[in-house]
């Protein structure tokens, strides 16, 4: 769905209907264009799902056991620091240094989607490792958005939003399991966060951790909401985000996207920084006895997954929208994110297919 919507959006943006299609996303609703409501409104629901998945991992998933958690945590840290470092090597001190967060993110939907193409050849622990890595990666992206992409802070609105969050935590402690008060208060929390200067999508993560988790079984409030959200987010929200944010009119000048320090920094970060950072920090964590490599994994398969970590797409585009205000910078960044994510995905897919095939032959 994401790939199809991206291709469709690029085709329409470069067709006879180009002007009408691009202007569609700039149509004003209230005081803001449709694109704004998608990125600040609908994507909050996506971040709510990310928060619920993170909560599950922390309480009963891979991150609940410290020894198991430290390997993907180390990998995620490396997968954020090295790409940002490579980007800053080319852009530090320039007006584009704010884009350092762009190559730090991994698109969990695309990465897991490509891994699933390999079918039952993929060890379960490899899927768990990539899931935990991507969830921690998204948490890192969320913190980066909250800390580095907050501009004019309005304390009164922020304190009201945080006050609502505390109220929801109290409801949680009082064992209120009905979802309605959480969702209603969540809307008000989003409104005040939106008008505080902190990016409104942070509301989704805060709301996720306020919603009762219980024992995490299929009857828990958190599980029911997470399970219900998967399809509308996968088949409605993320495709709409892809349509709105890849409406890029390409021309001969688009080739210049490959010439700028900030776009080269994005490509280096995703294609080199991600696999090097994820693999190297994973290796070091095991050698230093901080983390533990599962028995059915080896460093070749970890390298393959590290390439999949270079698929930035949704999160990278999202951060690019926050990092830059100049439309040329944004569009050039989007082009480089799309190209780099495609290359990273293909390398990861082909490499893992080759490695897993070899291991299957050896086993036989």
């Amino acid at each position: 769905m994401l790939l199809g919507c991206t291709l469709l959006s690029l085709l329409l943006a470069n067709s006879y209907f180009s002007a009408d299609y691009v202007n569609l996303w700039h149509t004003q609703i209230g005081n803001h264009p449709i694109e704004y409501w998608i990125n600040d409104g609908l994507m909050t629901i996506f971040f709510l799902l990310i928060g619920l998945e993170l909560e599950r991992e922390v309480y009963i998933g891979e991150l609940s056991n410290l020894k198991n958690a430290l390997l993907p945590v180390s990998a995620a840290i490396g997968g954020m620091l090295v790409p940002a470092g490579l980007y800053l090597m080319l852009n530090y001190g320039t007006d584009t240094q704010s884009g350092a967060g762009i190559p730090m993110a991994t698109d969990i939907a695309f990465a897991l989607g490509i891994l699933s193409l390999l079918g039952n050849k993929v060890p379960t622990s490899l899927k768990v490792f990539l899931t935990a890595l991507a969830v921690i990666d998204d948490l890192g992206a969320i913190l980066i958005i909250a800390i580095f992409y907050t501009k004019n802070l309005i304390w009164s609105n922020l304190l009201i939003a945080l006050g609502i969050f505390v109220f929801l935590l109290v409801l949680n402690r009082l064992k209120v399991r009905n979802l309605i008060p959480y969702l209603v208060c969540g809307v008000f929390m989003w409104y005040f966060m939106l008008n505080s200067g902190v990016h409104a999508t942070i509301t989704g993560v805060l709301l996720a951790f306020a919603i009762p988790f219980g024992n995490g079984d299929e009857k828990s409030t958190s599980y029911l909401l997470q399970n219900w959200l998967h399809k509308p987010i996968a088949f409605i929200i993320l495709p709409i985000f892809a349509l709105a944010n890849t409406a890029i009119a390409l021309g001969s000048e688009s080739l210049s996207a490959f010439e700028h320090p900030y776009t080269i920094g994005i490509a280096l970060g995703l294609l080199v920084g991600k696999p090097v950072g994820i693999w190297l920090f994973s290796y070091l964590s095991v050698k230093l006895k901080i983390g533990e490599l599962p028995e059915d994994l080896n460093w070749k398969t970890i390298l393959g997954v590290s390439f999949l970590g270079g698929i930035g797409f949704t999160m990278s585009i999202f951060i690019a929208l926050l990092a830059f205000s100049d439309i040329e910078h944004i569009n050039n960044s989007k082009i480089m994110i799309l190209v780099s994510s495609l290359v990273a995905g293909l390398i990861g897919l082909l490499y893992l297919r080759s490695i897993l095939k070899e291991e299957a032959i050896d086993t036989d």
Side-chain angles (χ1 to χ4, degrees):
M1 284 291 291
L2 278 173
L3 188 57
C5 287
T6 299
L7 292 173
L8 175 62
S9 186
L10 287 169
L11 285 171
L12 289 173
N14 293 276
S15 69
Y16 175 78
F17 307 102
S18 176
D20 291 333
Y21 178 68
V22 173
N23 289 333
L24 167 67
W25 303 111
H26 298 143
T27 303
Q28 294 284 317
I29 296 180
N31 297 321
H32 300 286
I34 292 175
E35 186 181 41
Y36 173 88
W37 294 115
I38 293 169
N39 295 335
D40 287 59
L42 287 181
M43 287 300 285
T44 302
I45 303 173
F46 167 71
F47 277 86
L48 170 59
L49 178 61
I50 293 294
L52 291 169
E53 290 176 341
L54 178 63
E55 182 185 42
R56 175 162 290 271
E57 288 293 326
V58 168
Y59 286 134
I60 60 173
E62 184 71 6
L63 304 181
S64 61
N65 181 299
L66 184 60
K67 191 72 173 176
N68 292 339
L70 286 174
L71 180 65
V73 167
S74 300
I77 291 171
M80 290 186 281
L81 292 181
V82 177
L86 289 175
Y87 181 94
L88 288 173
M89 280 175 57
L90 298 175
N91 293 274
Y92 184 74
T94 70
D95 60 352
T96 56
Q97 72 172 15
S98 59
I102 298 171
M104 296 172 71
T106 296
D107 188 299
I108 188 170
F110 257 130
L112 288 172
I114 288 181
L115 193 63
S116 71
L117 293 177
L118 297 168
N120 56 13
K121 298 176 186 176
V122 181
T124 302
S125 55
L126 192 63
K127 295 177 184 176
V128 171
F129 174 78
L130 179 58
T131 302
L133 162 68
V135 169
I136 298 163
D137 201 300
D138 283 342
L139 175 62
I142 291 160
L143 293 173
I144 289 164
I145 291 168
I147 297 168
F148 296 104
Y149 296 112
T150 295
K151 295 172 184 176
N152 300 317
L153 194 61
I154 301 174
W155 281 101
S156 57
N157 287 331
L158 178 60
L159 290 173
I160 293 172
L162 293 176
I164 295 171
F165 175 59
V166 171
F167 173 71
L168 291 178
L169 291 177
V170 171
L171 289 185
N172 187 320
R173 294 291 294 175
L174 293 173
K175 301 189 183 303
V176 175
R177 298 289 178 256
N178 192 310
L179 195 55
I180 293 175
Y182 293 96
L183 296 181
V184 171
C185 289
V187 171
F188 284 102
M189 180 164 59
W190 172 83
Y191 173 81
F192 286 106
M193 194 70 79
L194 180 70
N195 291 284
S196 71
V198 176
H199 203 270
T201 50
I202 303 300
T203 308
V205 181
L206 294 177
L207 179 59
F209 277 87
I211 290 171
F213 184 80
N215 59 8
D217 63 16
E218 295 183 1
K219 294 181 180 179
S220 70
T221 308
S222 177
Y223 178 86
L224 290 172
L225 180 60
Q226 180 184 337
N227 193 49
W228 185 87
L229 284 174
H230 272 296
K231 287 183 179 178
I233 286 175
F235 297 109
I236 300 174
I237 292 175
L238 288 181
I240 288 175
F241 176 85
L243 286 170
N245 289 286
T246 55
I248 309 167
L250 302 173
S252 57
E253 69 281 359
S254 298
L255 293 175
S256 67
F258 299 85
E259 301 173 354
H260 304 289
Y262 66 95
T263 52
I264 295 172
I266 291 170
L268 272 178
L270 291 175
L271 293 174
V272 179
K274 272 291 185 182
V276 169
I278 292 170
W279 189 92
L280 180 61
F281 275 59
S282 298
Y283 182 79
L284 290 174
S285 74
V286 172
K287 289 301 176 183
L288 295 172
K289 301 189 184 302
I290 297 171
E292 189 173 51
L293 186 69
E295 291 181 3
D296 57 346
L297 297 187
N298 56 51
W299 295 115
K300 289 181 179 179
T301 51
I302 293 294
L303 180 60
V305 162
S306 299
F307 279 110
L308 295 184
I311 304 172
F313 199 72
T314 306
M315 291 300 292
S316 290
I317 289 175
F318 190 81
I319 294 175
L321 296 170
L322 300 176
F324 302 133
S325 55
D326 181 84
I327 191 65
E328 182 182 348
H329 286 164
I330 291 173
N331 283 341
N332 285 339
S333 297
K334 286 179 180 179
I335 292 170
M336 190 55 82
I337 290 166
L338 292 174
V339 172
S340 300
S341 296
L342 176 62
V343 173
L346 285 173
I347 292 173
L349 176 64
L350 296 175
Y351 178 79
L352 276 172
R353 177 175 287 170
S354 172
I355 293 301
L356 294 172
K357 187 176 181 180
E358 284 179 15
E359 291 180 354
I361 293 172
D362 291 341
T363 303
D364 292 340

